[in-house]
Amino acid sequence: MEQVLSYLDQNKDRYLAELKDFLAIPSVSTNPDNKPDVQRCAQWVADQMTTVGLQNVQVMPTAGHPVVYADWLNAAGAPTVLLYGHYDVQPPEPLELWTSPPFEATIRNENLYARGAADDKGQVYIHLKSIEAFLKDGGSLPVNLKLLIEGEEEIGSEHLVPFVTEHKEMLNADLVLISDSSMFAKGVPSICYALRGLAYMQIDLVGPNKDLHSGSFGGSVHNPIQALSEIIAQLHDKNGKVTIPDFYKAVRALSKKERDAFKKLPWSDKKYAKELGVAQLYGEKGFSSLERVWARPTLECNGIWGGFTGEGAKTVLPSKASAKISMRLVPDQKSDKIAKLFEKHIKKIAPKTVSVTVRNLHGGEAAITPIDSPGVMAAVAALEKGFGKKPLYQREGGSIPIVVQFKEILGLDTVLLGFGLPDENAHAPDEFINLDNFFGGMRTSAHFFAELPRFMSGKGRK
Ligand code: BES
Ligand code: ZN
């Protein structure tokens, strides 16, 4: 182990240089123009896997972007880890808000800035380098490993679900390991044990059959932007609750034990509001900020458009208005069911003055993972060694839809070992990974592989 750790320590500069190459590829999965880049990125990951000593490396096509697979299965009798991550990234726009270009990774204040630095290329890369440290010069790993790195996580993992179903044998393992979340705070390592689900919707409203002069027609025709705003404004009540009937029906209540545990976490609403530049926080009455984000369902308008938004002024009563609305879900809400409730409610409250179309763009289910599994215990031990501190337990507000599918299709529990930070600007300009977390993450990854067999002894499948 000492050799592995000193190898990790001696190669830091090279790691940063290589990671910059990975981050230079604009693998934006949602943008059809970037399709060749996404493909090139999959190949980059595959080449890296070969370089670090993994075997059976394959770029495997799907009906969407490719999945990259590799394994190393020579640790007879040891547990098998299925390591999942994603090489696709969110769009970088708005470009003008980046301090340095999104695909030219740049170090400032001990952080590496680039799209995908934390979410999730940087975190995938952490594991690749810890694997390299074990396998260099014909060395070996303490566990068997299967890597599954996909290219559609940021757009809902649509084609990964059939892929996992079709490759059940190939993906058979003892547990799943994912590093695609954050630590509780800088210097505060954590184990995440729950993620929210998602239902992502689009509403399109059409009023008059063409754009109209707002002077000649304004007052006699319902402006679709106004109608849409009225609809959206009705979706929360004055207590911050979502007004869709039955929205909360299936919600699993928080136990007193869990609420008490949240209260003990080192958290300040005042500091949080200040960091975000808001004069006051907002949310569902009767719940703390952490409860609201981690364990309560919510509804957000992600974008709204229509009419004239260019420079200067144009007097127009537009024909159309649209909005993208997502709902974060908690156990035991079902994404499809919530999407249907949403559609029904929107159609009910939409005024007769406009026609409305509601579309379900994608979704995923919330996940809760056991916190007393051998995998989690190995992760706790690894974080303590990698960061010099005992981790705390937290939930997350974000979503990784495949976690539930890993349980349903493969029967596997997931360990969520995140090395990002809550203020890492994921999905926003100036995304970064903190360098202490990057190198601490590599040490933790190595310790995890080393610790796991001891915690799993007698419990593995093999
Ligand atoms: N890394 C995130 C998931 C995440 C976010 C975990 C915040 C913990 C905290 C992941 O890449 C992501 O952004 N997922 C999407 C999923 C969606 C498109 C189905 C999300 O949460 O918006
Ligand atoms: Zn993401």
Side-chain angles (χ1 to χ4, degrees), residues 139-418:
S140 64
L141 276 156
V143 291
N144 298 295
L145 267 182
K146 296 179 176 182
L147 276 72
L148 177 71
I149 311 298
E150 72 149 319
E152 296 191 327
E153 195 276 345
E154 298 292 8
I155 48 173
S157 301
E158 188 190 336
H159 300 103
L160 191 63
V161 178
F163 182 92
V164 172
T165 309
E166 275 160 36
H167 296 89
K168 264 170 91 160
E169 261 325 292
M170 182 181 92
L171 300 174
N172 182 26
D174 292 301
L175 59 89
V176 179
L177 175 65
I178 303 182
S179 294
D180 189 22
S181 54
S182 305
M183 308 202 327
F184 186 75
K186 183 143 171 40
V188 188
S190 58
I191 296 280
C192 174
Y193 65 91
L195 297 158
R196 288 198 290 184
L198 187 75
Y200 201 113
M201 315 295 293
Q202 179 163 329
I203 309 180
D204 296 295
L205 247 59
V206 182
N209 56 12
K210 56 185 175 183
D211 283 2
L212 303 171
H213 189 292
S214 67
S216 314
F217 295 89
S220 66
V221 175
H222 200 174
N223 183 323
I225 298 178
Q226 182 191 337
L228 182 58
S229 310
E230 287 161 358
I231 291 171
I232 293 172
Q234 287 176 59
L235 296 178
H236 290 95
D237 69 11
K238 62 175 189 327
N239 292 322
K241 283 215 183 294
V242 175
T243 54
I244 300 169
D246 292 338
F247 183 75
Y248 294 96
K249 197 169 166 194
V251 169
R252 196 186 299 176
L254 269 164
S255 67
K256 164 132 182 17
K257 193 171 156 216
E258 204 172 2
R259 294 189 91 169
D260 287 346
F262 286 6
K263 276 188 206 130
K264 291 204 186 93
L265 295 171
W267 177 265
S268 155
D269 264 359
K270 216 171 144 188
K271 188 163 159 256
Y272 182 57
K274 194 166 172 226
E275 273 166 12
L276 298 180
V278 293
Q280 225 182 327
L281 296 173
Y282 168 87
E284 190 186 358
K285 210 169 159 186
F287 295 93
S288 70
S289 295
L290 289 180
E291 288 169 351
R292 287 167 177 170
V293 174
W294 289 352
R296 296 294 298 167
T298 50
L299 180 149
E300 300 293 331
C301 184
N302 298 257
I304 179 164
W305 68 100
F308 178 70
T309 55
E311 274 293 313
K314 173 187 176 189
T315 47
V316 62
L317 195 167
S319 159
K320 294 177 182 169
S322 298
K324 294 204 189 263
I325 295 183
S326 64
M327 289 160 284
R328 293 284 169 176
L329 311 176
V330 300
D332 298 298
Q333 289 177 302
K334 292 279 164 272
S335 170
D336 278 350
K337 168 92 185 149
I338 293 292
K340 286 201 181 88
L341 293 176
F342 177 89
E343 179 171 357
K344 192 171 156 203
H345 185 59
I346 297 295
K347 292 208 160 135
K348 192 173 140 231
I349 65 173
K352 299 279 174 287
T353 48
V354 291
S355 67
V356 57
T357 319
V358 178
R359 276 192 287 158
N360 181 357
L361 298 188
H362 65 73
E365 309 306 334
I368 291 222
T369 62
I371 53 169
D372 53 0
S373 66
V376 168
M377 290 194 287
V380 168
L383 280 168
E384 204 173 345
K385 290 190 172 166
F387 285 89
K389 235 187 218 173
K390 259 203 161 49
L392 46 80
Y393 292 88
Q394 67 161 105
R395 295 174 68 152
E396 279 281 13
S399 313
I400 308 177
I402 201 67
V403 171
V404 167
Q405 315 282 347
F406 282 142
K407 182 74 185 176
E408 279 174 10
I409 305 168
L410 302 176
L412 300 182
D413 286 322
T414 293
V415 177
L416 294 162
L417 188 57

Side-chain angles (χ1 to χ4, degrees), residues 86 90 119-120 153-154 180 399 426-427:
H86 63 96
Q90 289 274 334
D119 182 9
D120 179 36
E153 195 276 345
E154 298 292 8
D180 189 22
S399 313
H427 298 202

